[in-house]
Amino acid sequence: MTAKITYAVTAAVLVVYFVLVGSRGVLLIQHGSLLTVTFGVAVLILPVIGVWFLWKNTQFVQRANRLATELDAEGGLPLDQLRRTPSGRIDRDSADEVFARRKAETEEAPDDWRSWFRLAVAYHDARDTPRARKAMQHAIALHDGKPVRA
């Protein structure tokens, strides 16, 4: 629940920032000189990119949460079997062991979104966020019956 609240607060702050930046872009355009109009258009592009990025991330999180809910209902969510350091961080060797099992599971069933979901969790635990995201996107595509890029 804390993560959802943090995400919502961060998204709200970003939206306020986008509105402020956008208003400055409009003011620059209204000034009317070639230079200020050029800068105004450039400034307006930033909030557009930011809104698009925020929207895509929100969609990703919602889809991943939908898969997690479905997998939880099936009793298939991966159990936390990881050893932790005294500070609470995940032990790297422990994460690597779980990752190896999840990778083998995914290689055995490459068309099963559940194995890709668990692999994404293992990548995340191993602190490989880019691969975790790609594995989760793969799981979402498989679940939704969309074509999957190799």
Side-chain angles (χ1 to χ4, degrees):
M1 189 59 158
T2 303
K4 287 182 182 181
I5 292 170
T6 302
Y7 189 84
V9 168
T10 304
V13 168
L14 281 172
V15 168
V16 169
Y17 174 75
F18 297 151
V19 169
L20 291 174
V21 169
S23 69
R24 297 298 181 235
V26 169
L27 288 174
L28 284 168
I29 291 170
Q30 287 176 343
H31 193 271
S33 73
L34 178 63
L35 184 63
T36 60
V37 169
T38 304
F39 279 134
V41 170
V43 166
L44 283 177
I45 290 172
L46 295 175
V48 170
I49 292 170
V51 166
W52 174 83
F53 183 75
L54 183 61
W55 174 250
K56 295 305 277 183
N57 277 304
T58 301
Q59 283 183 320
F60 173 76
V61 168
Q62 288 174 337
R63 290 175 180 150
N65 284 339
R66 186 183 69 216
L67 264 58
T69 301
E70 187 174 330
L71 200 55
D72 187 30
E74 296 174 358
L77 276 180
L79 298 174
D80 187 356
Q81 306 165 334
L82 302 169
R83 293 184 304 276
R84 301 191 184 273
T85 63
S87 65
R89 291 185 65 126
I90 295 172
D91 178 62
R92 182 73 173 186
D93 293 332
S94 177
D96 289 343
E97 290 171 18
V98 172
F99 172 78
R101 285 193 309 242
R102 298 298 181 210
K103 185 175 181 190
E105 174 187 321
T106 305
E107 288 170 352
E108 290 174 17
D111 295 328
D112 183 13
W113 68 266
R114 294 161 187 85
S115 63
W116 281 95
F117 183 95
R118 289 187 282 267
L119 180 63
V121 172
Y123 270 127
H124 181 267
D125 291 342
R127 299 185 198 125
D128 191 345
T129 305
R131 286 191 178 125
R133 188 172 183 87
K134 285 182 182 177
M136 187 60 73
Q137 288 169 339
H138 195 94
I140 292 167
L142 285 172
H143 179 269
D144 294 345
K146 294 181 181 173
V148 179
R149 287 181 250 153

